[in-house]
Amino acid sequence: MNTCPAELNFASHLAALNAPRAAKLAYVDDTRQLTYGELAERVARMAGALRQLGLRREERVLLLMQDTVDWPVAFLGALHAGVVPVAVNTLLTAEDYAYILSHSRVRAALVSDALLPVLQTALTQSPGEVEHLIVSQAQAPLPAGAHDLDALLAAAPLAPAVRTLSDEIAFWLYSSGSTGKPKGVVHTHGNLWHTAELYAKPVLGIREDDVAFSAAKLFFAYGLGNGLTFPLSVGATVVLMAERPTPQAVFLRLIRHRPTVFYGVPTLYASMLAAPDLPPRAQVAMRVCTSAGEALPRDIGERFSRHFGCEILDGIGSTEMLHIFISNRAGQLRYGTTGKPVPGYEVQLRDDNGAPVAAGAIGDLYIKGPSAALMYWNNRDKTRQCFLGDWLKSGDKYVCDDDGYYTYAGRSDDMIKVSGQYVSPVEVENILVQHEAVLEAAVIGVPDHDGLVKTKAYVVLRPGFAPDAQTGAELQRYVKQHLAPFKYPRQIDFTDELPKTATGKIQRFRLRQLEQAAL
């Protein structure tokens, strides 16, 4: 394995790697494309534009952007300048963005035109945080003082790359916390390098002649590796899609661009297989697929492989570790398992006291590897709970069989992972009980008919309200109005009381036991 250089600016590292292939297509989105030469120029101009706006090294800039060619330009341009991009989920509420603006103290914000209204609302709730607003693909007159990204780049100089260390803070990603508040996960330049060298090249086997397409968006740790770090580290071509990854939107790109590497999540794979317009094998060119975010059910993997003739390499990663650290490998795949540790990472299963568990027993998953984040920003307690010396406590339960394959056994806490995104039951419960009809609520994760986890709420109604389908639908609409849409409960059961401890705490595990008994 190569050794990560002590001095590393990942943006200039990629530019140097791809200088010989300047004419090759790097990115294609719904309306535009960039060659590697054009990408390098726009990245240098992005760095120059940030400098002209007065942003200094180590200061932060928000990236609230859809997946277009402007996203990698903005992200790499910030790295090139020594500025720290803070990439955020495009599906959050104005309240979430207001918190992130205040927490991260970004000086500038890059935003896609379609997302400008929600950011403007957030800015009114967090005044004075953002000094510069830059709009990508502006379709209407800009707010006073805002900049059009294309115009800004056209007038910017080509800035030289800042010399940074591999251990230097490069970027942040936000991960949901158990309280529902997002956590700022701080990563280095070297972490990007390690995920490419340890997973992308030897395990995934991505190559220069590949065309890569990720349904997971670039603001996710998973999507960032899929659509930027990995393909650009080998000179591959990347297909980007701004819209939501419905089966039909994915099918369109699979047929039109014929990507050879496809990155999905279990929910999407299940939806693709159930779609009436599922394309035949002859219309696509996938040679390998990956899955992460939640455990891939065996049946979905097997049916997908039978239909398309290509394997899905299921794995587990995290925002804190940046990408996949346990994975299945081509030719050694076992659907229903997460695979084996990626070389370069160590994995341990421990009991509640931190001691190794016996063979075949379920334990808490701990990971040790070079791509681990530095910390959670301004969250010392949570950092101490999760970052334990060289080891990271993942919050997942796993079991390892005699052949060394790891199988997911659930979350260590009450957090629920839906379509690869964490949902805090407390956050959803707090919204439900604000509705006039609700006395108490408890939220858990339950598997659907495909074995994928969805949220379910148990609700105790106030007197005078009917426990019927109309009330359930109203509560679902209410949650959608106050939280990001993926957090709403897919099922609602009405009950007379919730199981509680002697001190009045809701026992969600008893509800999960009821669900398991009913299966």
Side-chain angles (χ1 to χ4, degrees), residues 30-71:
D30 299 329
T31 60
R32 296 173 295 169
Q33 61 184 41
L34 289 177
T35 65
Y36 272 102
E38 291 167 337
L39 175 64
E41 179 183 345
R42 288 178 75 85
V43 165
R45 290 192 185 279
M46 185 77 244
L50 293 173
R51 288 302 180 88
Q52 282 189 328
L53 292 175
L55 271 80
R56 295 168 294 186
R57 184 169 175 166
E58 299 181 0
E59 291 184 325
R60 293 175 286 282
V61 56
L62 188 80
L63 265 62
L64 176 57
M65 303 176 71
Q66 294 175 328
D67 277 21
T68 71
V69 296
D70 286 341
W71 204 106

Side-chain angles (χ1 to χ4, degrees), residues 400-470:
C400 183
D401 66 20
D402 292 339
D403 295 325
Y405 283 81
Y406 285 77
T407 300
Y408 180 67
R411 287 290 297 168
S412 300
D413 53 22
D414 285 322
M415 289 293 288
I416 307 164
K417 218 172 192 182
V418 178
S419 298
Q421 302 184 77
Y422 284 124
V423 176
S424 166
V426 174
E427 185 181 29
V428 181
E429 291 160 7
N430 287 342
I431 295 298
L432 282 168
V433 297
Q434 292 176 29
H435 193 280
E436 61 178 357
V438 178
L439 178 64
E440 293 180 317
V443 174
I444 62 172
V446 297
D448 64 10
H449 63 279
D450 286 317
L452 302 174
V453 174
K454 304 298 181 187
T455 44
K456 180 174 183 177
Y458 283 84
V459 172
V460 179
L461 291 175
R462 296 182 183 276
F465 291 91
D468 55 24
Q470 183 176 347

Side-chain angles (χ1 to χ4, degrees), residues 300-333:
I300 293 175
E302 291 175 344
R303 286 193 288 127
F304 190 92
S305 289
R306 282 197 301 269
H307 182 84
F308 286 112
C310 104
E311 294 179 328
I312 301 176
L313 306 184
D314 188 25
I316 180 175
S318 68
T319 307
E320 292 80 3
M321 292 302 294
L322 191 55
H323 213 275
I324 290 172
F325 49 82
I326 300 177
S327 179
N328 278 277
R329 302 185 72 158
Q332 305 174 32
L333 185 144

Side-chain angles (χ1 to χ4, degrees), residues 265-285:
V265 295
T267 304
L268 176 60
Y269 286 121
S271 299
M272 290 168 66
L273 290 170
D277 52 346
L278 180 70
R281 182 185 303 189
Q283 284 190 304
V284 303

Side-chain angles (χ1 to χ4, degrees), residues 132-471:
H132 305 287
L133 184 62
I134 305 167
V135 182
S136 165
Q137 293 186 283
Q139 301 297 314
L142 295 175
H147 302 275
D148 176 86
L149 178 59
D150 286 333
L152 196 66
L153 293 178
L158 296 168
V162 169
R163 295 178 63 179
T164 54
L165 301 176
S166 62
D167 286 343
E168 197 163 322
I169 293 174
F171 65 101
W172 296 11
L173 301 172
Y174 268 89
S175 176
S176 296
S178 58
T179 63
K181 291 292 186 184
K183 301 190 297 293
V185 183
V186 180
H187 278 287
T188 68
H189 286 268
N191 289 357
L192 293 162
W193 187 93
H194 280 110
T195 58
E197 296 299 318
L198 296 179
Y199 172 77
K201 296 177 183 179
V203 177
L204 176 61
I206 193 167
R207 310 183 305 236
E208 181 180 1
D209 61 348
D210 276 319
V211 176
F213 172 43
S214 176
K217 300 300 185 180
L218 287 163
F219 61 75
F220 288 118
Y222 179 47
L224 178 61
N226 300 344
L228 189 149
T229 312
F230 301 167
L232 269 56
S233 291
V234 297
T237 296
V238 186
V239 176
L240 295 178
M241 178 177 71
E243 66 181 294
R244 190 167 63 90
T246 63
Q248 288 67 39
V250 170
F251 296 157
L252 180 65
R253 276 76 182 183
L254 291 177
I255 295 169
R256 176 184 295 170
H257 299 291
R258 295 181 64 82
T260 54
V261 179
F262 175 65
Y263 312 88
V265 295
T267 304
L268 176 60
Y269 286 121
S271 299
M272 290 168 66
L273 290 170
D277 52 346
L278 180 70
R281 182 185 303 189
Q283 284 190 304
V284 303
M286 294 178 291
R287 68 172 186 83
V288 64
C289 298
T290 71
S291 181
E294 56 187 324
L296 178 73
R298 180 194 305 271
D299 177 65
I300 293 175
E302 291 175 344
R303 286 193 288 127
F304 190 92
S305 289
R306 282 197 301 269
H307 182 84
F308 286 112
C310 104
E311 294 179 328
I312 301 176
L313 306 184
D314 188 25
I316 180 175
S318 68
T319 307
E320 292 80 3
M321 292 302 294
L322 191 55
H323 213 275
I324 290 172
F325 49 82
I326 300 177
S327 179
N328 278 277
R329 302 185 72 158
Q332 305 174 32
L333 185 144
R334 290 191 187 178
Y335 284 128
T337 80
T338 310
K340 296 182 178 182
V342 171
Y345 294 88
E346 295 181 45
V347 170
Q348 288 185 0
L349 299 182
R350 303 180 188 176
D351 61 21
D352 292 342
N353 298 316
V357 300
I362 295 174
D364 290 306
L365 181 68
Y366 289 74
I367 315 101
K368 177 181 178 182
S371 63
L374 296 177
M375 60 181 151
Y376 298 122
W377 186 262
N378 283 355
N379 196 336
R380 184 69 167 163
D381 286 345
K382 193 64 177 177
T383 297
R384 283 174 166 166
Q385 292 172 25
C386 296
F387 296 90
L388 308 173
D390 291 338
W391 292 89
L392 174 76
K393 185 177 181 180
S394 73
D396 295 296
K397 296 280 192 182
Y398 263 84
V399 61
C400 183
D401 66 20
D402 292 339
D403 295 325
Y405 283 81
Y406 285 77
T407 300
Y408 180 67
R411 287 290 297 168
S412 300
D413 53 22
D414 285 322
M415 289 293 288
I416 307 164
K417 218 172 192 182
V418 178
S419 298
Q421 302 184 77
Y422 284 124
V423 176
S424 166
V426 174
E427 185 181 29
V428 181
E429 291 160 7
N430 287 342
I431 295 298
L432 282 168
V433 297
Q434 292 176 29
H435 193 280
E436 61 178 357
V438 178
L439 178 64
E440 293 180 317
V443 174
I444 62 172
V446 297
D448 64 10
H449 63 279
D450 286 317
L452 302 174
V453 174
K454 304 298 181 187
T455 44
K456 180 174 183 177
Y458 283 84
V459 172
V460 179
L461 291 175
R462 296 182 183 276
F465 291 91
D468 55 24
Q470 183 176 347
T471 302

